[in-house]
Amino acid sequence: MSEKKDHRGVRESVAALGVIISLAFVGYELRQNNQVARAAAVQTISDQSIEVINTFISDQESVRLLSAVLDGATEADFTAVENTKLRLMFLAQLRIAESRYRQAELGVVNDPTIFGGAAATLRSPYFRGRWPDLRNSVAPDFAATFEIEYELR
């Protein structure tokens, strides 16, 4: 009878060890999947940024408008159509920044420069003048953080 008890204890120990090893493996797999998700998120941000940049530089009108913005032009310096085009360009930049913000908030990316790229245009007098209107196109929590980052208040 004592042999059966001894074998039972060994079996229970082996079973417990199997459970521990299985849990460790699941933890390892989750970590690997998390790393893959982070890498995919970073790649997506990069792809978005490249797409927006390529769109801007492939259109001479966009290049001219952004150059004028970087040279200090304000809303009054452009036609209504040009202002609409610039508004859409800035909305695209804000969407990318908001996507980065959400991914950082979820812990998918850990990047202190989540608003990155386009910093010069987003600090321009033109953008500052348009911000009150553009602010309504993004989520309030993102807008508040963005305003701190770019000193818009």
Side-chain angles (χ1 to χ4, degrees), residues 27-99:
Y28 173 78
E29 287 293 310
L30 286 173
R31 186 174 175 196
Q32 291 294 95
N33 288 340
N34 194 13
Q35 289 173 343
V36 168
R38 288 174 195 256
V42 169
Q43 184 61 47
T44 298
I45 290 170
S46 177
D47 291 345
Q48 289 172 340
S49 298
I50 291 167
E51 183 179 338
V52 168
I53 290 167
N54 282 336
T55 299
F56 290 162
I57 64 172
S58 65
D59 175 33
Q60 289 302 310
E61 176 70 4
S62 296
V63 172
R64 183 187 68 75
L65 293 173
L66 289 175
S67 292
V69 165
L70 290 172
D71 287 340
T74 62
E75 189 174 355
D77 297 319
F78 299 103
T79 67
V81 171
E82 290 171 332
N83 277 311
T84 299
K85 188 168 190 169
L86 283 166
R87 181 180 190 283
L88 294 173
M89 287 183 209
F90 281 114
L91 280 175
Q93 291 174 331
L94 285 171
R95 291 285 175 235
I96 292 170
E98 187 171 10
S99 174

Side-chain angles (χ1 to χ4, degrees), residues 2 6 8 10 26 28 32 41-42 55 82 85 111 124 147:
S2 94
D6 287 342
R8 182 176 174 194
V10 170
V26 168
Y28 173 78
Q32 291 294 95
V42 169
T55 299
E82 290 171 332
K85 188 168 190 169
D111 184 0
S124 68
E147 286 174 338

Side-chain angles (χ1 to χ4, degrees), residues 1 18 70 125 152:
M1 191 98 160
L70 290 172
L152 293 168

Side-chain angles (χ1 to χ4, degrees), residues 4 11-12 17 19 37 58 61-62 64 76 96 114 135 143:
K4 283 189 177 185
R11 285 192 303 251
E12 288 175 358
L17 182 62
V19 169
S58 65
E61 176 70 4
S62 296
R64 183 187 68 75
I96 292 170
I114 58 172
R135 187 185 202 288

